[in-house]
Amino acid sequence: MVGNELRKWDEIQERTWPTLLIGNGLSMNLWDGFWYKNLYEQADLTDSASRVFDDLRTTNFEEVLAAIHHARIVDDAVGLPTTLIDNAYAAVRDALLKTVSRAHVDWAGVPDSTHTLIAEEIAKHRSVFTTNYDLCLYWAHMQSAALRSASNQAELRIKDFFWTKPDYTFDEDTANRWYRDWTAIYYLHGALHLWHDDQGRDGKWKNDPPGGSLLDVLQQYSPESRRQPLFVSEGTPRQKLNTIGASEYLRYCYDHLYEDSYDTIVFGHSLAEQDNHIVDALNAGPSRTIAVSIHPSGDAKSDAALAARIERDLAAHEVLCFDSSTHPLGDLGLKIEPIDIEAMMEWISRWNISEGDSA
């Protein structure tokens, strides 16, 4: 910050920023359904899980998962059974995955211009790391590729490491031979379109699963399925690291963030306590410049306190906090408005009547 004012993006954009780390702020700027409150309201929670949210006065799933985890530690330490707590934890974790899918914006609702802007923006960077579960980033670079192909434009060089056919799986040997002039995307916490199977392989659903779209992919899973969602939703950094360590792909992504040594933009990520493993990875590299976006709250003191906390957490680096709304990915004009189905059907009905009257 400069005094009590957040910097504007155009004050620092001329620097070279090889690395970009994206958090849920990007998704929330696109679609209101991704706000914690809206996810909570759409979640199918048990009565006991709902009471935990209420008692903690939060709609943040990770805060609740962390609280349940700590309760389990206490019960286990004093010799009490943990079955009910384990069941509650699993229920909240699974509800998060299902809710993100249910609350997701439809493919048809995302304008091509939004796909294009996101793809062109991420293509400016060498490495793009994201902790988001949703499909917005994946859709952006896939749709951008289709649009550019249709108009005979050069392809944006973006790769996600899932190219080993026939199942589009991740293979570290081939991943290490990727073209260095391409932008690499790393899904640090997994995503809706990624899976892990009983052979230890990680892969992605390349095309729509039978009978549905990628948003229906959860229907392909059951407790007996060989493939399960690749999705890090644990409540504490240590638990997250345990899950990351069990996946060759997630471990590869985290290692690359840990080893990254380039100037970095952190966009839409609060670097909160639940993600201290991300802060640790950023601090592991050499001293460099890290630009962190902050969404203006309307309270300058609150924004200054958040900036001060981030600067303390990343004290080894030069930290530049800037107004997220001044960055292309934070443009308020990207907000996707829900389609009013009833109004659309009424308009179609009136149009058909008008056409019939004129025939």
Side-chain angles (χ1 to χ4, degrees):
M1 299 185 72
V2 180
N4 288 325
E5 294 291 328
L6 290 168
R7 290 177 175 84
K8 308 300 183 187
W9 172 244
D10 61 12
E11 297 174 25
I12 58 177
Q13 67 173 332
E14 294 304 323
R15 295 185 182 215
T16 300
W17 301 102
T19 302
L20 173 65
L21 169 62
I22 296 174
N24 198 44
L26 168 61
S27 302
M28 292 191 295
N29 185 50
L30 295 175
W31 183 243
D32 284 343
F34 292 131
W35 285 82
Y36 293 131
K37 180 177 182 293
N38 293 332
L39 290 174
Y40 170 72
E41 289 175 349
Q42 294 196 48
D44 293 326
L45 296 168
T46 62
D47 290 342
S48 58
S50 293
R51 285 197 297 272
V52 178
F53 278 90
D54 291 342
D55 290 345
L56 293 176
R57 297 181 180 179
T58 186
T59 56
N60 188 319
F61 281 78
E62 290 192 347
E63 287 183 15
V64 170
L65 288 168
I68 296 174
H69 171 68
H70 291 136
R72 188 193 192 283
I73 291 176
V74 174
D75 277 11
D76 187 55
V78 299
L80 293 176
T82 62
T83 302
L84 292 178
I85 290 181
D86 291 340
N87 291 341
Y89 189 96
V92 173
R93 180 197 61 209
D94 295 344
L96 174 58
L97 176 61
K98 293 174 182 176
T99 304
V100 171
S101 179
R102 184 186 303 118
H104 207 291
V105 60
D106 290 330
W107 165 275
V110 184
D112 285 343
S113 59
T114 299
H115 288 309
T116 299
L117 184 148
I118 294 173
E120 290 179 348
E121 197 61 36
I122 64 177
K124 296 175 181 178
H125 305 278
R126 178 180 182 274
S127 300
V128 177
F129 298 90
T130 178
T131 56
N132 294 353
Y133 308 130
D134 61 75
L135 297 169
C136 295
L137 202 62
Y138 179 66
W139 280 351
H141 76 85
M142 296 301 292
Q143 180 66 349
S144 174
L147 292 171
R148 284 176 167 268
S149 175
S151 59
N152 294 317
Q153 290 180 276
E155 179 184 3
L156 292 176
R157 294 171 172 264
I158 302 171
K159 286 289 187 181
D160 64 6
F161 300 112
F162 292 100
W163 53 60
T164 304
K165 298 180 179 180
D167 294 328
Y168 294 93
T169 54
F170 170 77
D171 179 76
E172 186 167 356
D173 290 336
T174 61
N176 286 332
R177 296 197 295 270
W178 68 285
Y179 298 105
R180 295 294 172 177
D181 57 342
W182 288 59
T183 296
I185 296 182
Y186 303 85
Y187 295 95
L188 291 166
H189 287 170
L192 288 177
H193 66 298
L194 304 183
W195 52 261
H196 180 80
D197 71 11
D198 56 4
Q199 300 178 46
R201 300 185 309 163
D202 301 309
K204 73 176 178 182
W205 297 102
K206 173 64 174 177
N207 299 312
D208 292 348
S213 70
L214 283 177
L215 289 180
D216 298 322
V217 74
L218 297 187
Q219 298 176 13
Q220 306 302 309
Y221 301 118
S222 71
E224 296 78 28
S225 298
R226 293 179 59 188
R227 293 179 178 177
Q228 293 297 322
L230 185 59
F231 193 76
V232 179
S233 59
E234 285 68 25
T236 69
R238 178 178 292 182
Q239 288 176 298
K240 286 185 172 76
L241 283 176
N242 287 339
T243 299
I244 288 169
S247 160
E248 182 183 27
Y249 168 73
L250 296 181
R251 188 168 60 249
Y252 180 86
C253 292
Y254 185 75
D255 286 347
H256 274 263
L257 178 64
Y258 199 89
E259 296 164 1
D260 194 275
S261 60
Y262 297 98
D263 286 350
T264 300
I265 299 169
V266 178
F267 183 85
H269 206 305
S270 64
L271 302 176
E273 183 179 355
Q274 292 88 354
D275 286 317
N276 275 346
H277 62 300
I278 301 295
V279 175
D280 290 342
L282 292 172
N283 282 329
S287 179
R288 57 196 187 277
T289 302
I290 299 181
V292 183
S293 75
I294 292 179
H295 181 70
S297 65
D299 182 344
K301 289 185 178 180
S302 175
D303 295 343
L306 175 57
R309 192 265 293 169
I310 291 172
E311 290 169 358
R312 287 195 302 272
D313 290 346
L314 299 175
H317 310 289
E318 177 190 14
V319 178
L320 306 176
C321 292
F322 67 94
D323 181 340
S324 66
S325 67
T326 64
H327 188 281
L329 294 178
D331 187 337
L332 299 180
L334 292 177
K335 181 71 69 179
I336 301 167
E337 298 298 332
I339 299 173
D340 189 331
I341 300 297
E342 291 185 4
M344 182 176 68
M345 294 304 295
E346 181 179 353
W347 181 88
I348 292 173
S349 175
R350 289 179 178 178
W351 185 85
N352 286 337
I353 292 172
S354 175
E355 286 291 294
D357 289 344
S358 63

